[in-house]
Amino acid sequence: SQQGEEDPQALSIQEGENATMNCSYKTSINNLQWYRQNSGRGLVHLILIRSNEREKHSGRLRVTLDTSKKSSSLLITASRAADTASYFCATDNFGNEKLTFGTGTRLTIIP
Amino acid sequence: DAGVIQSPRHEVTEMGQEVTLRCKPISGHNSLFWYRQTMMRGLELLIYFNNNVPIDDSGMPEDRFSAKMPNASFSTLKIQPSEPRDSAVYFCASSNRDRGHTQYFGPGTRLTVL
């Protein structure tokens, strides 16, 4: 079963708007990562946040983590057409390098 | 540096045939992962290796699937005999365990079993 569940499953916004995606997970984690997958391609790592961190930024990306609620959010600011892709969260447990991926959010940016 | 390399990129075969998927991880990475992605089941971890040794194969669907990693630069995933329900995109990913758990994915092999 999927550890992570992304919400919403699909999101369409106008170019220039901000996009927010959420991820919930079930068990304690060591790290949480976000990946992007363009159509027909492999997943690409975007950002990693550790369990003792609450917020992290990378360019137009902002990730938050709330371990008490077992949830994370990914914010993409000033969206561009090139941001159209599926976004997945992935978690790993202490002492285990396996990643458990969520179901993904399909983001469409309308030019 | 070259990323993870997978071959073939596309494979179409008939039910009952043997299929072999190949992966070359990023040089210096010591962990390798095989995933399967379908619309119905999402992204599933099949098996992963660390230092060429299989660590967890609990995701391998059944005995028809087998994976090997004879050396640090090559791995195969074999399906014998193949069935239509094996149709999916198969990804290989690698990571450097000593530098965190970020995984680097190959472009995938799209397998169609007729």
Side-chain angles (χ1 to χ4, degrees):
Chain A
S1 63
Q2 296 283 347
Q3 158 81 314
E5 297 286 337
E6 280 90 341
D7 168 50
Q9 289 188 334
L11 177 64
S12 293
I13 61 172
Q14 294 287 333
E15 190 170 19
E17 294 180 342
N18 297 340
T20 300
M21 289 158 274
N22 303 297
C23 166
S24 60
Y25 56 91
K26 298 175 182 175
T27 62
S28 296
I29 63 168
N30 185 28
N31 302 300
L32 186 143
Q33 304 180 46
W34 285 90
Y35 286 78
R36 183 187 72 223
Q37 183 180 33
N38 291 90
S39 181
R41 303 279 185 99
L43 280 72
V44 175
H45 175 258
L46 295 176
I47 193 167
L48 179 150
I49 187 166
R50 303 187 190 285
S51 59
N52 61 355
E53 297 177 312
R54 292 296 167 258
E55 187 171 312
K56 201 162 184 180
H57 296 254
S58 177
R60 294 184 296 113
L61 305 180
R62 173 180 167 240
V63 171
T64 62
L65 179 64
D66 187 336
T67 54
S68 66
K69 295 181 179 179
K70 292 186 169 57
S71 67
S72 173
S73 67
L74 171 67
L75 168 67
I76 303 174
T77 60
S79 63
R80 305 168 181 170
D83 295 329
T84 294
S86 292
Y87 292 81
F88 296 85
C89 67
T91 57
D92 67 80
N93 302 114
F94 293 93
N96 190 334
E97 61 186 318
K98 284 172 55 174
L99 292 182
T100 304
F101 285 85
T103 51
T105 291
R106 178 154 186 80
L107 175 65
T108 301
I109 307 301
I110 304 167
Chain B
D1 287 337
V4 175
I5 299 172
Q6 291 188 248
S7 65
R9 293 294 310 277
H10 301 274
E11 177 81 23
V12 180
T13 190
E14 294 189 345
M15 183 174 64
Q17 296 297 307
E18 178 179 295
V19 175
T20 299
L21 311 181
R22 297 172 176 79
C23 175
K24 177 179 170 57
I26 293 173
S27 177
H29 283 190
N30 50 20
S31 293
L32 183 141
F33 306 80
W34 282 102
Y35 292 91
R36 177 172 67 177
Q37 186 177 40
T38 62
M39 288 294 292
M40 291 296 294
R41 301 176 66 89
L43 193 64
E44 304 172 279
L45 176 66
L46 300 176
I47 185 171
Y48 83 94
F49 297 82
N50 182 254
N51 291 326
N52 313 336
V53 176
I55 303 300
D56 186 339
D57 66 354
S58 59
M60 295 287 262
E62 49 200 271
D63 292 345
R64 297 184 298 107
F65 286 68
S66 63
K68 294 182 180 179
M69 192 165 186
N71 57 62
S73 59
F74 184 65
S75 177
T76 60
L77 178 67
K78 186 177 293 187
I79 308 173
Q80 166 65 10
S82 58
E83 297 182 1
R85 59 191 169 122
D86 301 329
S87 297
V89 181
Y90 290 81
F91 289 102
C92 175
S94 69
S95 69
N96 187 327
R97 188 180 190 180
D98 303 323
R99 296 184 184 176
H101 296 179
T102 296
Q103 294 184 12
Y104 297 81
F105 282 74
T109 295
R110 181 173 294 276
L111 173 65
T112 302
V113 183
L114 303 175

